[in-house]
Amino acid sequence: IYTLSLHDALPISIVKKNIILALDRSLSMYYSFDGRKDGSKARWESLKKAANRLMDGLGGSELGNTFSVISFSSDDDYGDGYKGLGTTTHVKNASVDAAKSIINNDRVFYPSPNGGTDYYSAFEHINDCCVSDRENIVLFITDGEPTSLPKKVLRRLMGSTAQSVITTAYTRDAAKSLTGDKIKSFFSIFIGTNQGSASVLNMITRATNISNDERASVQASNDQQMQQLIDDLRLWRSEERRVGKECRSR
């Protein structure tokens, strides 16, 4: 009589991931979590720590995953030389080291001294970063609702309140271009204590054409919450499910 047990011996084939980090670099990222203009850059430092935490988890434990890094703000010209930095794809489908070298380079990756929040352009760059041979996982982090659009869509010719209302409508429509055939999962995190703006991000996240169980929008009101959310996301996306077979013959 013998017993043969194979527990956790046969790993399921895991599809490699392209993790797309779309990170807000608008002026308000200089603020504290509760919106005080204290120059602390608390939101920005928390975002950078979170991005590194995610890359350490999914880049270190799952060799072969790649990363794309997008920073977004408006490119509006406010006069007197004040202009937003706009939206940039820094690296696409690159190694974890290449992605970290961007995010940790203060000369390249920093909040815009001027500029609002342009989700629309970020969505265009997200689609451009998708690759066909990997699961494209998007992490979208912002501290504000959309306040600007690219000039090809709408010129800034109105007051800020009217601009914001119209921008939200255009942005919600643009979110529909994020589809499940290209993007496996879409997660958004709102940084800060403003629940109204967080609800706008949630609405826009729900407008994406990605299945409900592969999209989510959450709010981080402090750095501890932010890092915990990243840990939860990392563990969920990196879990290596294995199957075991137990054969017994007598």
Side-chain angles (χ1 to χ4, degrees):
I1 299 174
Y2 67 92
T3 300
L4 175 64
S5 297
L6 298 176
H7 292 287
D8 300 329
L10 301 176
I12 295 175
S13 177
I14 298 174
V15 178
K16 296 301 180 184
K17 303 172 183 66
N18 172 38
I19 296 97
I20 302 171
L21 304 174
L23 308 174
D24 188 349
R25 71 185 306 185
S26 61
L27 172 63
S28 55
M29 293 300 292
Y30 279 107
Y31 302 167
S32 66
F33 270 85
D34 59 3
R36 286 177 290 116
K37 301 178 183 180
D38 58 1
S40 66
K41 294 197 291 186
R43 298 175 179 182
W44 184 250
E45 294 304 323
S46 182
L47 176 149
K48 287 179 61 178
K49 190 196 312 186
N52 277 288
R53 201 178 189 100
L54 184 68
M55 289 187 291
D56 286 340
L58 295 182
S61 64
E62 295 187 32
L63 297 179
N65 288 339
T66 57
F67 294 83
S68 302
V69 178
I70 301 163
S71 63
F72 63 94
S73 76
S74 71
D75 64 352
D76 295 320
D77 190 340
Y78 300 97
D80 297 325
Y82 295 105
K83 186 176 181 180
L85 291 174
T87 300
T88 301
T89 295
H90 298 278
V91 292
K92 175 181 176 180
N93 195 30
S95 69
V96 63
D97 289 339
K100 292 187 76 170
S101 71
I102 291 295
I103 288 178
N104 296 315
N105 186 342
D106 292 337
R107 292 178 297 176
V108 175
F109 194 71
Y110 55 89
S112 176
N114 308 283
T117 308
D118 181 3
Y119 289 19
Y120 193 107
S121 294
F123 293 165
E124 291 183 323
H125 282 246
I126 287 169
N127 274 321
D128 288 342
C129 283
C130 290
V131 293
S132 60
D133 61 341
R134 294 174 179 271
E135 287 185 347
N136 296 294
I137 310 295
V138 177
L139 176 60
F140 186 93
I141 303 179
T142 183
D143 72 336
E145 56 193 88
T147 59
S148 186
L149 294 164
K151 293 181 180 62
K152 66 182 181 181
V153 177
L154 183 71
R155 293 184 62 82
R156 193 178 184 92
L157 299 174
M158 60 196 73
S160 60
T161 300
Q163 176 86 12
S164 182
V165 171
I166 292 174
T167 296
T168 297
Y170 272 93
T171 302
R172 186 175 183 275
D173 191 59
K176 298 175 184 177
S177 71
L178 304 176
T179 59
D181 61 330
K182 293 178 68 174
I183 297 170
K184 171 68 174 176
S185 307
F186 184 95
F187 304 103
S188 62
I189 299 178
F190 182 86
I191 305 176
T193 58
N194 190 321
Q195 294 183 350
S197 294
S199 69
V200 173
L201 176 60
N202 179 59
M203 174 191 69
I204 292 171
T205 299
R206 291 177 62 82
T208 63
N209 280 306
I210 297 167
S211 64
N212 284 329
D213 59 347
E214 290 290 347
R215 67 183 181 191
S217 182
V218 292
Q219 182 174 6
S221 297
N222 55 56
D223 181 62
Q224 183 178 1
Q225 289 180 2
M226 168 67 89
Q227 306 313 318
Q228 184 59 58
L229 287 169
I230 292 298
D231 284 346
D232 292 344
L233 173 59
R234 176 179 59 81
L235 290 172
W236 183 65
R237 291 312 312 178
S238 67
E239 183 180 3
E240 297 184 10
R241 295 183 175 86
R242 297 173 181 271
V243 294
K245 291 184 178 180
E246 185 173 285
C247 303
R248 292 183 175 88
S249 73
R250 295 177 182 271

